[in-house]
Amino acid sequence: MPLFLFNFVACILSFCNITEDPKLLYLPINHSNMNHKRSWAEPYKIKMVELLKMTNLKDRIKAIKEAGFNTFLLKSEDVYIDLLTDSGTNAMSDQQWSAFMVGDEAYAGSKSFYHMEKAVQKYYGYKHMIPTHQGRGAENILSKILIKPGDIIPGNMYFTTTRLHQELSGGTFADIIIDEAHDPLSNHPFKGNVDFQKLEDLIKKYGSDKIPYISIATNVNMAGGQPISMANLRELRTFTRIHGIRIIHDMTRVAENAYFIQQREAEFHSRSIAEIVKEICSYTDGATMSAKKDALVNIGGFIATNEWDVYEEARNLVVVYEGLHTYGGLAGRDMEAIAVGIRESLDDNHQHARVGQVEYLGNKMLEFGIPIVLPVGGHGIFVDAKAFLPHLTQDQFPAQALAAEVYIDSGVRTMERGVVSAGRKADGTNYYPKLELVRFTIPRRVYTQAHMDVIAESVANVYDRRKKIRGMKMVYEPKYLRFFQARFTKL
Ligand SMILES: *Cc1c(COP(=O)(O)O)cnc(C)c1O
């Protein structure tokens, strides 16, 4: 589709959505405390650089073949710009590195644990915190505590590890996100919102006692880094109070979500990200966190809860799976760096530059006519592989094929977020998600604007020869989370 037509459709769609609710005005960047004419430039300068190996076409073709056309199986040495994930790939600040040096490595009762606990209590407002080695460690423990076989866990879209832990505990995930989240062309400002009709239907069908909690992700990863609005969350809190259901917060990108609330919900234009984050958390009963995203570290996570009983049980279980409850699989220095990273993630200028860089890349791709998920999300650009490669069926893994082609073109590593990531149902049949995407995830504080230019130019290059791109066949499929290790050949 030509660019003007693409924009026109997006514009019409966005108009339809926005007029539904006058409170949800989708406004352009509008910081009351910022100069409107300034762009998103970084609030830091660079003290140390990491040299990259520049790759050539011949070596890239060899490398991707050896990796079974799965970007997860590439060696990072063979990658030029690594957009596989924003998880654990952030650049730490000088403050975080110096915090590393004062990490207290005591087995029990480390000072660093108390610093991290204090940061979680102060900035997020949760009462109790237990560290874990990363987000899925927290999900494992919380799912074991809260879910009984036969339970239903509604959520604003699934996440791979979150849903797997729910299923391993005998639960079933149920999607209650608004339909717009599944439509890459919908310009809805809050695609992470909950559809209350879907939730009510579930309660009618199963009863609220079969629903131990509702899982709410802030900035919905699988929808393309899309936010939930404060209005929707407040309504959900009222609703869940009536029905006696908990809200568990998958708070991996809560600060990015808060940034969108600040930009797009009129009530919050002059509130700080720190204030908005605290209010979001106040409407939930507990959380799992992967600190590898928002909190600007390379490893770490935690469970947070306001309930003493849940805390007690989690403290017991964490010893089995992670480590003592005052380190949960982390070094003291990791907990120290998380405490600093949480504070830095809530800085308005940091988030302005963070999301600004992602928007810059998105606009660049739109200029080239590339079909991407709109509006641009918080942590990356999601290219619509179905629209990019309309000649391929979903069984030919279009997103997997596209990610391989982009790597071959420029050494830019992305990942598949489509039918491979969605995996199989308990009965063995494939999930066929509506969204078949290639994710270009931007690590925080790592790459420059010139890198963004190279990425967009490379995708444009692949777009020019898209009709020649062939589909894939899966030749090896692991049992769990197959996208990590599956292997493919070209059809
Ligand atoms: C990354 C992520 C997780 C899991 O966290 P890990 O640290 O990778 O184990 C859970 N939920 C969401 C939304 C995520 O993005």
Side-chain angles (χ1 to χ4, degrees), residues 9 50 311 325 335 390:
V9 172
E50 180 178 339
Y311 174 56
H325 64 278
M335 296 191 282

Side-chain angles (χ1 to χ4, degrees), residues 17 20 155-157 175-183 186 188-196 198 227 232:
N17 285 319
E20 274 171 17
N156 57 347
M157 207 173 261
D175 194 10
I176 53 163
I177 204 164
I178 55 172
D179 287 339
E180 285 87 341
H182 294 282
D183 174 5
S186 160
H188 193 291
F190 291 105
K191 282 177 153 181
N193 279 358
V194 165
D195 181 330
F196 284 91
K198 290 182 188 171
N232 190 260

